[in-house]
Amino acid sequence: MADHDLSGFEKSTFTHDGATRRILRRGTGPAVIVMAEIPGITPKVIEFAEHVAAAGCTAVLPVLFGEPGRDPHPGAVGWPSAGRYMASSLWQVCVSREFTLLATGRGSRVVRWLRALAAAEHARCGGPGVGAVGMCLTGGFALAMATDERLLAPVLSQPSLPLACTPGRAGAIDISSEDLAVVRGRCEREGLQVLGLRFRGDRLSPGDRFAYLRRELGDAFVAVELDDGVANPQGALAPHSVLTEHLIDEPGQPTRQALDTVLELFRTRLLGEGPAAAG
């Protein structure tokens, strides 16, 4: 796949608490904040955003790291170039004070900026509330953003923080205990539903993390766990990116069914098209 020229996306910026970041936006209707995985807003992430827009929502993509539209797949650019780009994006994250990679019981500072973005997009786009999708390194951000009552549809796709280098970190997620208590209360009082996606063999997003979320959120946490064998074999790495690099976008494919589950959550919670809207 070639680099995407970002045609069809409106470009702007958003500033909060002294931090200004670029924003890509496409579609109309209630906002869905789409937070990319490492190395950034790839053509596959853009394709996912296009699905969100086609479902009747406004896809809002903050540029948190990387170069928007750049294709990192080694099949397109070669392993040396792909490796350098991946390392560059990881370095941006590692040297930033906005991301918490290892600590348990803590969220990343960038979440405050993302909550402000969600509030601004809700005011701009209207509707009952906002959706959010986090992927890999940003996966847990969608959960932490749900302390704000405007966040009605959080999706955690292969959440990978804190890095699962010890059993304790594997059985945790990057949110403070105080924020998790707020989200749990929303689940109990308001019927908030948290959707999680992962491949069963994914060591970056281990099964213990989903078990932890089941214990903490009960039936409000809905897990979609896929066998590794259903992942797109053209992905450069082991099965990991459910909605992007390892998606097989064909009817009847389990990864496509997972994508449809995400889009259905947005339709029911944000567009009032199904029974979950009354939850």
Side-chain angles (χ1 to χ4, degrees), residues 13-133:
T13 60
F14 178 73
T15 301
H16 175 73
D17 198 22
T20 299
R21 293 182 174 89
R22 290 174 290 165
I23 303 294
L24 303 178
R25 189 183 289 106
R26 178 164 181 160
T28 58
V32 174
I33 311 301
V34 178
M35 295 164 284
E37 58 211 326
I38 291 288
I41 301 173
T42 67
K44 292 289 188 180
V45 173
I46 290 172
E47 284 186 355
F48 171 75
E50 290 170 341
H51 281 298
V52 171
C57 297
T58 302
V60 181
L61 293 77
V63 181
L64 302 178
F65 38 74
E67 301 175 23
R70 181 169 173 176
D71 184 6
H73 197 286
V77 300
W79 279 104
S81 179
R84 286 193 297 269
Y85 181 41
M86 181 72 72
S88 173
S89 295
L90 281 170
W91 179 249
Q92 290 180 44
V93 170
C94 290
V95 300
S96 172
R97 297 182 179 180
E98 297 292 320
F99 299 87
T100 299
L101 300 183
L102 293 173
T104 58
R106 287 176 53 191
S108 294
R109 288 175 53 188
V110 71
V111 170
R112 295 197 294 269
W113 186 91
L114 290 165
R115 289 182 186 132
L117 173 65
E121 291 298 325
H122 180 223
R124 179 184 184 278
C125 298
V130 179
V133 182

